Amino acid sequence: MNEPLNEPSQPVWERRLKVTTAEQTHALGAALGGVLEAGDLLVLTGELGAGKTTFTQGLGEGLGVRAGIISPTFVLVRIHPNLQEGPRPGGPDLVHVDAYRLESAAEIDDIDLENTMDTSVTVVEWGRDRVEHLSDSRLEVDLHRSVGSGGAVPAADVADSGTVLDFDTDDDDEPRTIVFRGFGPRWAEAPKLLENTISEGGH
């Protein structure tokens, strides 16, 4: 039923943003969540403690889905439904996947993400080299822990994240660099909220 997709291997653009606190990571996720659409695929990469779950919690807030986002490591997939009383009633659900224990694209196929791809925003932690075949477009988000805070751009200025639904207070307030890369026609242009970033590569 699903024909193999010719997934793009080179990003159309790249943007980098430095954040200094977990709150800024959360706020940046919330701002991005506000512009995501059903069918969007995000691939999150970063070592343990880099802020992937905090960023995803922000995405969920911006999307207006049910609170309670935690790492889905032991269940592989968690679905967070859109809330009619949230900021985006009728918007897409959030499908949150942890592919750390999955070793191939075939194992990704076994969890049938294609059944929800068209109606949800799909966020896959540790998804690189595993999920590219699912869509002809994707947004890659790499979170890197770093030392020093020179040149930081406060992500909290990007958007007011409003009420924090389920902020991960265990996340450390150490500087991080968040790298965004857009692939395919959906991400032909970078979201405007990423324009106040450290310009390195891309166009």
Side-chain angles (χ1 to χ4, degrees):
M1 184 175 66
N2 292 320
E3 296 182 3
L5 293 168
N6 183 20
E7 65 268 11
S9 58
Q10 295 298 321
V12 181
W13 50 264
E14 177 178 302
R15 300 287 186 272
R16 293 172 179 261
L17 182 67
K18 284 188 178 179
V19 298
T20 57
T21 67
E23 252 186 310
Q24 291 176 359
T25 301
H26 186 281
L28 182 58
L32 182 61
V35 302
L36 294 177
E37 301 173 357
D40 285 345
L41 172 64
L42 280 69
V43 181
L44 268 57
T45 303
E47 68 267 36
L48 294 175
K52 296 187 299 301
T53 299
T54 297
F55 183 81
T56 305
Q57 289 169 349
L59 286 176
E61 182 179 299
L63 283 167
V65 302
R66 189 173 62 198
I69 294 173
I70 60 174
S71 175
T73 299
F74 298 106
V75 295
L76 297 181
V77 181
R78 291 184 188 274
I79 298 176
H80 299 270
N82 176 268
L83 296 174
Q84 291 304 306
E85 66 273 20
R88 295 183 62 182
D93 298 337
L94 173 65
V95 176
H96 186 200
V97 183
D98 190 320
Y100 183 74
R101 288 176 171 78
L102 304 181
E103 298 181 356
S104 67
E107 291 187 50
I108 287 288
D109 289 341
D110 288 341
I111 57 178
D112 295 328
L113 290 179
E114 63 269 16
N115 291 334
T116 56
M117 285 283 297
D118 291 343
T119 58
S120 305
V121 169
T122 303
V123 176
V124 186
E125 297 187 22
W126 306 102
R128 184 167 293 158
D129 298 326
R130 295 172 175 86
V131 301
E132 288 81 358
H133 65 289
L134 293 175
S135 175
D136 62 357
S137 299
R138 67 185 183 278
L139 182 63
E140 292 189 355
V141 183
D142 295 356
L143 296 96
H144 303 280
R145 302 171 79 168
S146 55
V147 178
S149 57
V153 179
D157 291 346
V158 175
D160 179 7
S161 64
T163 302
V164 174
L165 300 180
D166 52 348
F167 182 59
D168 185 356
T169 54
D170 291 334
D171 198 359
D172 294 329
D173 279 342
E174 65 179 271
R176 290 172 173 81
T177 299
I178 304 178
V179 183
F180 297 85
R181 298 183 186 90
F183 295 79
R186 164 69 175 101
W187 300 107
E189 296 182 1
K192 293 188 184 304
L193 65 92
L194 298 180
E195 289 307 315
N196 292 325
T197 62
I198 306 161
S199 180
E200 288 187 26
H203 47 270

